[in-house]
């Protein structure tokens, strides 16, 4: 692959999907930073905050199998752009919500909207880049996405000194919607044909190895553990009447 072609594919395929994964990580961890602001503004208790945080992980984990089927049938470009638009709507709803139920629905919409952030990016790399570059680009995807967790610490705390959490979520909603439109308009379309594992057993082995050793399964493992822990704490707090 020529250098100019490689950089063009990175700009048109890799970076838009990396931006979506970055935003998903930012949404994932931002509740811990805004928890005190959210509680003082809406009157939510500890149990409510725990459930509000965990619903993101629960919806995201539950959506993985349907998202994988959609990616195989419609491709990462269309699936990711539609789901990120849903996350943008969820972010906007979160920004204007005043009650627990609307906040919970908004957070669930965000979790569903970013459910394909990692898998869509990995599938786009497989579709558009040579096999020898897949492992390296997968690593870069994880690295750039993890910067979202870093951004959700001191940078977000600094922003909260000059704006409220509602304004912050309005910005995130706009950024997520812009990324969705960017992916739909900029990423080129490539047909996704089902893999015939019987005619191409080596592809079946490659897919199994990716699922067993790749970052997706590891991500889901800790999502399940964190979700169980948060829900357990929330239920315990409710029983104590906290």
């Amino acid at each position: 692959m020529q250098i100019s072609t490689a950089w063009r594919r990175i700009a048109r395929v890799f970076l838009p999907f990396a931006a979506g994964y970055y935003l998903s990580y930012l949404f994932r961890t931002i509740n811990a930073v805004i928890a005190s602001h959210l509680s003082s503004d809406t009157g939510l208790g500890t149990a409510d905050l725990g459930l509000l945080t965990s619903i993101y992980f629960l919806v995201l984990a539950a959506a993985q199998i349907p998202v994988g089927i959609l990616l195989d049938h419609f491709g990462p470009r269309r699936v990711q752009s539609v789901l990120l638009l849903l996350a943008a709507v969820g972010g906007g709803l979160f920004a204007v919500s005043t009650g627990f139920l609307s906040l919970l629905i908004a957070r669930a919409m965000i979790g569903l909207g970013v459910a394909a952030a990692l898998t869509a990016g990995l599938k786009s790399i497989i579709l558009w880049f040579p096999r020898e570059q897949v492992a390296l680009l997968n690593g870069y995807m994880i690295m750039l996405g993890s910067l979202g967790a870093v951004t959700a610490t001191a940078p977000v705390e600094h922003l909260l000194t000059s704006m409220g959490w509602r304004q912050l979520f309005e910005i995130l909603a706009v950024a997520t919607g812009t990324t969705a439109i960017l992916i739909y308009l900029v990423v080129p379309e490539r047909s996704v044909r089902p893999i015939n594992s019987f005619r191409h057993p080596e592809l079946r082995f490659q897919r199994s190895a990716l699922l067993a050793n790749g970052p997706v399964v590891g991500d889901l493992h800790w999502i399940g553990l964190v979700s169980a822990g948060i829900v357990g704490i929330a239920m315990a707090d409710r029983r104590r009447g906290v």
Side-chain angles (χ1 to χ4, degrees), residues 40-101:
S40 61
D41 193 17
T42 61
L44 297 180
T46 305
D48 293 329
L49 288 174
L51 183 58
L52 197 62
T53 300
S54 65
I55 193 67
Y56 169 98
F57 296 100
L58 294 172
V59 172
L60 187 149
Q64 291 307 302
I65 292 178
V67 162
I69 296 173
L70 291 174
L71 286 173
D72 283 341
H73 281 81
F74 301 105
R77 169 180 166 267
R78 284 181 282 181
V79 173
Q80 178 71 324
S81 58
V82 170
L83 287 180
L84 281 182
L85 281 178
L86 178 63
V89 174
L93 177 61
F94 198 93
V96 300
S97 294
T98 56
F100 173 71
L101 181 59

Side-chain angles (χ1 to χ4, degrees), residues 1-40:
M1 185 166 56
Q2 298 180 352
I3 295 178
S4 60
T5 303
W7 282 109
R8 186 162 55 248
R9 287 187 180 181
I10 288 174
R12 296 186 61 189
V13 178
F14 176 79
L15 290 180
F17 283 102
Y21 188 46
Y22 166 85
L23 288 169
S24 76
Y25 242 110
L26 186 55
F27 277 122
R28 176 181 300 184
T29 52
I30 198 171
N31 262 28
V33 181
I34 68 168
S36 59
H37 303 271
L38 194 61
S39 181
S40 61

